[in-house]
Amino acid sequence: MSKKIKRIGVLTSGGDAPGMNAAIRAVVRTGIYHGLEVFGIMRGYTGMVEDDIIPLENRSVANIIQRGGTILKTARCMEFMEYEGRKKAFDNLSKRGIDGLVIIGGDGSFRGAQIFSSEFNIPCIGLPGTIDKDIAGTDFTIGFDTAVNTAVEAIDKVRDTADAHDRLFIIEVMGRDAGYIALHSGIATGAENILIPEKKTNLNDILQSLEEKEKRKKLVNLIIVAEGDEFGANEIAGHISQRLPKLEVRVCILGHIQRGGSPTCMDRLLASRMGYHAVESLVEGRHNVFVGIVNNKMNYTALNEAVKKKQRINEDWMNIVKILAT
Ligand code: ADP
């Protein structure tokens, strides 16, 4: 039997994602429900190393479920990559008696948690918080749905002006090495083409299909490019302008608006469920896993198996893009 946990720390680490606050709230309130003391660790692992740790009460997390960003702030912490940094972090937890951790972040943060836990025997539970949805072991990550909805709203607006001027817009969306934001938002906005890193981009096919559509006077407004695609939005625009000089081409890079804003219902729900199950896991003695969701059920993956999702994109999805854009 593992030792009963009495005090837990919660932190947000790596890239921020809308819904992190809802997850913090769920962790704090479930922890207090179970009679645990809960501490907030500021700026990811930096707060652990620099001893920036605050007690959290039920009231500390009031009125945050609807807010983007993270009240605990987030950071990347180089010191934590070294043993000396992690030892300092452990000492700072020990002096408060913190004997369990919930880490809300991406696969990098989970790797850090796994190493820390194996060195100092502190049980850790991960919650996948990233807009990129690039972690194996979960169908969704906290923040993805909000980021996609923000992208859809912005792309719809660009489409209005594209349509008014008969212009072609190449819109770049976020996602790091993953194309999920591009794929989801591109299908939802009726994009002509979606360029993602998981699929080799055939420039010639794109240009030929645009030429063919120009001949039959089909108006093409939108091409969505994932930031991780081998071609950047500007490069694609350059190739199109060269081959089809009559076409008016514009580039729009959506950028950081995709990280902010009030989380969607789905992200709040996901964060609340995951936060609750993170604490339940700690209490029940299920340690060093991250909580995912697969087929709408909680799914637990060992932290040391946390890897970036490099899945093959379902061919159906690419067919949908092609057929619906004719
Ligand atoms: P994400 O969690 O979004 O993937 P990063 O990969 O930047 O973001 O990781 C966030 C933080 O997790 C890093 O700044 C570092 O503090 C910690 N971390 C990541 N990888 C390791 C590792 N191999 N060892 C120790 N800490 C790590």
Side-chain angles (χ1 to χ4, degrees), residues 35-294:
L36 307 177
E37 280 181 58
V38 186
F39 292 84
I41 298 164
M42 302 301 295
R43 294 171 290 127
Y45 293 118
T46 310
M48 257 160 76
V49 176
E50 296 180 359
D51 202 19
D52 193 359
I53 300 173
I54 53 168
L56 295 174
E57 306 294 339
N58 276 329
R59 290 302 95 208
S60 323
V61 290
N63 201 18
I64 65 166
I65 193 168
Q66 78 284 18
R67 282 169 55 192
T70 155
I71 58 162
L72 296 177
K73 301 195 181 282
T74 183
R76 299 203 153 87
C77 174
M78 287 309 124
E79 266 193 279
F80 199 76
M81 306 288 281
E82 308 297 330
Y83 177 81
E84 289 70 34
R86 295 194 292 273
K87 175 72 173 69
K88 263 198 228 168
F90 173 69
D91 291 342
N92 289 327
L93 297 186
S94 295
K95 71 183 181 200
R96 290 181 178 80
I98 296 174
D99 48 10
L101 284 179
V102 177
I103 295 99
I104 307 165
D107 62 311
S109 305
F110 294 172
R111 266 194 304 283
Q114 169 61 34
I115 292 167
F116 185 69
S117 174
S118 63
E119 284 170 343
F120 300 102
N121 197 25
I122 294 237
C124 294
I125 303 287
L127 295 188
T130 159
I131 64 167
D132 307 325
K133 197 169 91 72
D134 58 352
I135 300 174
T138 189
D139 292 343
F140 288 97
T141 54
I142 297 165
F144 172 75
D145 187 62
T146 307
V148 167
N149 276 289
T150 302
V152 165
E153 199 185 326
I155 295 167
D156 283 347
K157 287 179 177 154
V158 174
R159 187 194 264 284
D160 286 346
T161 171
D163 183 59
H165 287 276
D166 288 347
R167 279 179 182 148
L168 168 64
F169 267 83
I170 319 284
I171 303 180
E172 186 180 295
V173 298
M174 280 187 164
R176 287 211 283 195
D177 302 328
Y180 298 103
I181 296 179
L183 194 57
H184 286 235
S185 64
I187 292 177
T189 53
E192 175 67 24
N193 219 316
I194 302 171
L195 278 48
I196 53 175
E198 292 86 348
K199 205 113 190 109
K200 181 112 189 88
T201 297
N202 188 328
L203 190 58
N204 212 34
D205 277 2
I206 295 172
L207 294 172
Q208 265 178 5
S209 122
L210 287 174
E211 256 173 358
E212 183 266 318
K213 280 172 183 155
E214 192 182 49
K215 274 189 202 133
R216 62 180 166 94
K217 307 246 175 300
K218 189 208 173 205
L219 204 59
V220 174
N221 294 133
L222 298 174
I223 292 179
I224 309 298
V225 185
E227 68 175 332
D229 189 72
E230 57 179 309
F231 291 101
N234 283 309
E235 200 181 339
I236 289 286
H239 287 293
I240 294 173
S241 298
Q242 229 175 23
R243 181 94 156 244
L244 297 152
K246 277 194 268 167
L247 207 61
E248 262 200 83
V249 185
R250 295 286 185 277
V251 170
C252 174
I253 295 175
L254 292 190
H256 283 80
I257 60 163
Q258 293 160 94
R259 285 198 176 278
S262 182
T264 57
C265 173
M266 181 169 158
D267 273 332
R268 295 182 201 190
L269 201 55
L270 188 66
S272 301
R273 291 174 74 188
M274 286 180 166
Y276 165 86
H277 283 286
V279 177
E280 293 287 316
S281 296
L282 278 175
V283 169
E284 287 165 8
R286 190 191 289 122
H287 296 162
N288 301 337
V289 293
F290 74 89
V291 184
I293 189 159
V294 173

